[in-house]
Amino acid sequence: MRHATATGAGLAAGLTAGLAALPVWAQEAAPAAAEGSVTAAAEATAAIIEKGDVAWMMVSSLLVLFMLIPGLALFYGGLVRVKNMLSVLMQCTMIGALVMVIWAVYGYSFAFGGGTSPFWGGLGKLFLAGVTPDSTAATFTDGVVLPEYVFIAFQMTFAAITPALIVGAFAERIKFGAVMLFTALWVTFVYFPVAHMVWDASGLIYNLGAIDFAGGTVVHINAGVAALVAAVVIGPRIGYGRENLAPHSMTLTLVGAAMLWVGWFGFNAGSNLEATAGATLAMLNTFLATAGAILAWTLIENAVNGKPSLLGAASGMIAGLVAITPACGTTGPIGAIVLGAAASAVCYVFVAKVKHRLGYDDSLDVFGIHGVGGIVGAIGTGILCAPALGGTGYVAEGGTMGAQIVAQVTGVIITILWSGIGSLVILYVVRAVTGLRVKEEVEREGLDLASHGERAYSY
């Protein structure tokens, strides 16, 4: 079995390819045909389903759902203007529902269907074929398994929240129908293949030896790059750089960010797949990296602007969470603080300086925080997994930091290219089918009334 640092969901996903369609390995020993004989059934060792692991994975799945609704929805909702808040809530809600259905129909199969392709899992699990209450998914421990249903549910929540992250790039100016069509195409041709490449034993990036414990490449770089492409293709909001486009409710933004932090423990510690010491390491790192990132962002902001802001603290919070995601199960606690602070500093530069210099309107800084933070975290994982720095070790036995960093960088580059090119093509397909952007008068009125006939607030 590969070293457990290969990825939380990844190792199990890869092993599931050969095991998931089988019934639970509990077998009763057959009566001996003669005294002293030992049958194959008697020799077989029954795999164990630990009730504690099952309970933890059920809770983790709910925590990741909590990240999407209400966490991400309120975080983004507070950041937009009041006339567009309901539209963001609606987009997050509907993306979650759409992706969950797609996941059950073909997404799980495309990602973890048991195929041997380095790019997709095949058609073996279409409509969840062969999945029953008795089928199992592997964990990091030999002989310990999970019900496949809970593994499907856990991975489904990852698939649901990832395209919802992209909403922040084109908030306040995109057609609702375009969002839904883009989501369906994007998860099909971008998310599912990347999830397979990173977390399945036959996947391209998995076999490079790259570490992505909980989704730095699959979720954050993937969504962040797509967000940058979308922001450029769709163009800036009316009045960008000239009018006041400030958040309408920093209160709701912090409420949403806090919900994301709480839910992230399911994201990170849940990727351990078992309620063991590995989950406690991921949990502690999720605390510490986030705290380090909050402090770093506010200190930088105070030094540059003379005042620390709540928006900066919330931004640092998300930057730290993003950065520790790929590294949470392999980095030591002190390394987590360093990684969170470093990622926060780099994200601050992109959000406060680079974006304005280049002129793209990534409305809610999806690329600046998720994309950039994910890249810093993924590469930093290759450094901080070193035992000398308090990490748990490299993927390859006898590996080196240099080799691990090369694997991390290669995985990042593949993800950037796959997501960037795929997202660009999908955006132009959606533009041809439904159009992407609402009319100018609709954008000025706000998407709440124009797209949904409702207001977020009644005065």
Side-chain angles (χ1 to χ4, degrees):
M1 178 178 285
R2 176 185 276 191
H3 193 284
T5 60
T7 67
L11 183 58
L15 294 177
T16 298
L19 302 175
L22 299 177
V24 179
W25 301 343
Q27 301 179 44
E28 295 180 356
E35 184 176 354
S37 67
V38 181
T39 66
E43 292 176 340
T45 301
I48 300 170
I49 296 179
E50 295 282 0
K51 292 181 179 179
D53 293 340
V54 176
W56 168 236
M57 294 309 299
M58 292 173 69
V59 171
S60 293
S61 301
L62 295 176
L63 284 170
V64 181
L65 175 63
F66 185 69
M67 291 174 67
L68 172 57
I69 306 167
L72 183 68
L74 290 178
F75 178 68
Y76 278 175
L79 287 172
V80 297
R81 289 168 289 179
V82 66
K83 62 185 179 180
N84 294 310
M85 182 186 180
L86 187 144
S87 71
V88 171
L89 301 181
M90 185 66 168
Q91 287 169 18
C92 290
T93 301
M94 294 303 295
I95 285 172
L98 176 64
V99 175
M100 288 179 190
V101 172
I102 291 174
W103 180 254
V105 173
Y106 64 84
Y108 179 63
S109 186
F110 280 18
F112 305 118
T116 58
S117 166
F119 301 104
W120 76 310
L123 304 175
K125 295 291 182 76
L126 287 180
F127 297 95
L128 302 184
V131 181
T132 72
D134 293 328
S135 60
T136 61
T139 68
F140 284 120
T141 303
D142 287 323
V144 178
V145 295
L146 289 169
E148 191 172 9
Y149 279 143
V150 78
F151 179 73
I152 292 170
F154 182 63
Q155 284 291 338
M156 179 177 70
T157 59
F158 277 62
I161 195 173
T162 304
L165 294 174
I166 305 171
V167 165
F170 44 60
E172 304 193 294
R173 60 196 187 276
I174 194 170
K175 293 180 177 180
F176 179 70
V179 172
M180 300 304 287
L181 179 57
F182 173 81
T183 297
L185 294 174
W186 191 82
V187 294
T188 301
F189 296 104
V190 178
Y191 180 83
F192 300 150
V194 173
H196 176 81
M197 284 191 280
V198 174
W199 283 336
D200 191 272
S202 62
L204 176 65
I205 297 173
Y206 181 95
N207 283 292
L208 292 172
I211 300 170
D212 186 359
F213 195 85
T217 50
V218 179
V219 176
H220 299 295
I221 298 175
N222 208 6
V225 171
L228 177 61
V229 173
V232 173
V233 170
I234 296 172
R237 290 165 290 178
I238 295 172
Y240 178 68
R242 302 186 307 276
E243 300 177 10
N244 182 13
L245 306 179
H248 89 276
S249 175
M250 281 309 306
T251 302
L252 287 178
T253 294
L254 185 63
V255 168
M259 290 176 173
L260 283 167
W261 193 356
V262 172
W264 224 288
F265 290 100
F267 211 71
N268 286 357
S271 290
N272 190 66
L273 299 180
E274 299 173 82
T276 61
T280 66
L281 174 63
M283 180 179 183
L284 181 59
N285 285 341
T286 304
F287 276 117
L288 294 177
T290 310
I294 294 170
L295 292 174
W297 194 297
T298 53
L299 287 170
I300 294 169
E301 195 173 52
N302 187 67
V304 173
N305 302 325
K307 295 179 181 178
S309 70
L310 183 60
L311 178 58
S315 299
M317 185 186 300
I318 304 305
L321 289 166
V322 168
I324 197 59
T325 294
C328 59
T330 61
T331 298
I334 304 304
I337 297 173
V338 174
L339 182 60
S344 190
V346 177
C347 290
Y348 175 85
V349 172
F350 271 82
V351 169
K353 305 296 181 182
V354 174
K355 181 177 76 168
H356 299 293
R357 182 163 297 181
L358 297 180
Y360 62 89
D361 183 15
D362 177 5
S363 306
L364 309 182
D365 295 310
V366 184
F367 175 72
I369 293 179
H370 292 274
V372 173
I375 292 169
V376 173
I379 297 173
T381 299
I383 300 170
L384 294 171
C385 69
L389 298 176
T392 60
Y394 308 111
V395 169
E397 291 186 16
T400 64
M401 183 184 293
Q404 192 63 58
I405 292 173
V406 169
Q408 299 301 119
V409 171
T410 305
V412 167
I413 292 172
I414 292 171
T415 304
I416 290 173
L417 292 175
W418 191 281
S419 180
I421 295 171
S423 300
L424 183 64
V425 172
I426 291 168
L427 283 163
Y428 277 101
V429 169
V430 174
R431 172 180 280 178
V433 176
T434 65
L436 288 170
R437 189 161 183 157
V438 297
K439 295 179 180 178
E440 180 177 345
E441 57 269 25
V442 171
E443 185 174 343
R444 292 191 181 280
E445 178 187 14
L447 302 186
D448 288 4
L449 279 175
S451 297
H452 307 293
E454 301 173 295
R455 294 184 187 273
Y457 306 101
S458 297
Y459 297 104

